[in-house]
Amino acid sequence: PSPTPLQSPDINNETTNWKEYKVESLGLTFKAPFEMNVDTSGSIITIQDYPFNAPPPDNYYKAVISVSNGLVEKTETLKGKKDLTDQIVSTFQWQN
């Protein structure tokens, strides 16, 4: 059986209009706010609100999520709201 994320009705409503990303190599789909920049290289998903290859501004959001074998191994919010990282992870859908 595939793991399914825990979701509350509030989180589902907040993420309805987010952009969906599919990561075929990980068998994973997830959502993130449209204003975020998302990189899905290998088993690491990086999500940030400033351009990649640019220095971060004073106030920024960046999360790094490591995925392996259908599980989230580690999440790290480098700066910004940890609850936003949790909301993004809660949208993960594993493909069968």
Side-chain angles (χ1 to χ4, degrees):
S2 298
T4 54
L6 299 175
Q7 295 180 327
S8 72
D10 293 334
I11 289 175
N12 285 334
N13 290 337
E14 290 178 27
T15 64
T16 299
N17 295 322
W18 286 8
K19 183 177 178 182
E20 185 174 272
Y21 296 87
K22 292 185 181 189
V23 188
E24 296 294 332
S25 61
L26 298 175
L28 172 68
T29 60
F30 68 94
K31 290 183 172 185
F34 273 93
E35 65 272 11
M36 295 296 170
N37 296 295
V38 177
D39 178 60
T40 58
S41 300
S43 64
I44 304 293
I45 299 169
T46 304
I47 302 165
Q48 61 190 50
D49 65 356
Y50 61 96
F52 290 108
N53 300 320
D58 289 337
N59 185 17
Y60 68 92
Y61 170 84
K62 181 174 183 177
V64 179
I65 303 164
S66 177
V67 179
S68 180
N69 298 320
L71 298 172
V72 176
E73 286 190 340
K74 177 183 174 185
T75 64
E76 180 179 11
T77 304
L78 301 177
K79 189 165 183 178
K81 297 180 179 180
K82 174 66 174 161
D83 61 335
L84 180 56
T85 303
D86 292 340
Q87 286 177 331
I88 292 168
V89 170
S90 76
T91 70
F92 280 18
Q93 299 287 323
W94 306 100
Q95 300 169 1
N96 293 332

